[in-house]
Amino acid sequence: VFLTNFIQFFFGVWGGLRYSWFLAFLPFFGISFALNVRRHSIVMLFLPLYFAISQTFKNVPQNEKIFQNPYPKKVECIDELSEKYRLKNGYSDYWNAKYIMLFSKNKIRLRQLHSNLQIYDWIYNPEWLRENPGFNFLITNRLDKNSIAKILPQPLSIKICDNLEIYIYKKEIFIK
């Protein structure tokens, strides 16, 4: 259990310790209780852990990639499109919406849709529309293209960011 979180961290799984950081201390508490160690002696159990961590990171430069926030290429591409086409609010399936909103530096907001273009109210806040009302783009991955063609007009432009197909519209679009 202890090693799993550190292995995840070093292989680039972002947030490996996010929800389970306390598991790193579990073996030390287990050992202390198993040995019936007094409370002031628990500090002695943490010294080897502190030493190991400090030795691991002592030669890592501050600009090393593990200390930077991730900025996936597809999100960077969408942020560039948002500047070029003034995109702020759009539509997408749940998984792309969650991923893009998490990593976007331009605060892209996406309303989630089911594959048949029905609204999927989950990680959406209507207050986001106060700053920038209207939707002007659609990420088509995992959405039904026939439904898109029936409901929405032809896009002004179609862009590809990594594996994402993005329809950009001249006028605001609304899906109910």
Side-chain angles (χ1 to χ4, degrees):
V1 173
F2 172 71
L3 292 176
T4 302
N5 288 308
F6 289 103
I7 291 169
Q8 287 177 346
F9 176 76
F10 287 111
F11 282 103
V13 177
W14 191 254
L17 292 173
R18 183 175 179 186
Y19 298 114
S20 57
W21 57 268
F22 60 90
L23 292 176
F25 299 106
L26 192 60
F28 296 103
F29 287 124
I31 290 169
S32 68
F33 289 115
L35 298 175
N36 201 12
V37 178
R38 295 183 185 156
R39 287 186 188 165
H40 65 277
S41 299
I42 292 176
V43 174
M44 297 305 289
L45 293 172
F46 288 105
L47 286 177
L49 177 65
Y50 173 76
F51 180 75
I53 290 173
S54 65
Q55 291 301 309
T56 301
F57 290 107
K58 87 174 176 186
N59 293 325
V60 177
Q62 290 301 315
N63 62 355
E64 188 66 36
K65 196 166 185 80
I66 63 171
F67 294 112
Q68 297 175 1
N69 287 330
Y71 195 34
K73 293 286 184 204
K74 67 175 92 175
V75 179
E76 183 178 6
C77 177
I78 291 172
D79 280 347
E80 289 170 5
L81 289 176
S82 76
E83 292 170 2
K84 183 176 180 181
Y85 293 97
R86 303 181 81 186
L87 307 177
K88 279 294 177 190
N89 299 315
Y91 293 104
S92 175
D93 72 297
Y94 171 81
W95 291 108
N96 283 317
K98 187 168 178 73
Y99 181 79
I100 292 165
M101 288 193 307
L102 177 66
F103 293 114
S104 174
K105 293 182 179 178
N106 289 350
K107 297 184 180 178
I108 295 290
R109 300 294 183 212
L110 293 163
R111 182 100 192 242
Q112 299 80 51
L113 301 172
H114 291 281
S115 62
N116 62 359
L117 300 191
Q118 296 296 312
I119 298 294
Y120 181 45
D121 287 320
W122 192 248
I123 56 169
Y124 174 74
N125 183 351
E127 292 294 317
W128 293 335
L129 288 177
R130 286 185 189 242
E131 293 176 22
N132 300 298
F135 298 86
N136 59 352
F137 73 101
L138 171 77
I139 298 173
T140 63
N141 297 62
R142 298 188 188 106
L143 300 178
D144 181 40
K145 299 275 179 111
N146 293 330
S147 298
I148 293 170
K150 287 179 189 174
I151 295 174
L152 297 173
Q154 284 291 97
L156 170 71
S157 180
I158 298 174
K159 300 292 182 186
I160 304 293
C161 284
D162 199 19
N163 66 340
L164 298 178
E165 183 179 48
I166 302 161
Y167 287 11
I168 299 171
Y169 294 90
K170 185 175 184 176
K171 295 182 179 180
E172 294 178 355
I173 56 171
F174 293 96
I175 298 175
K176 295 183 180 186

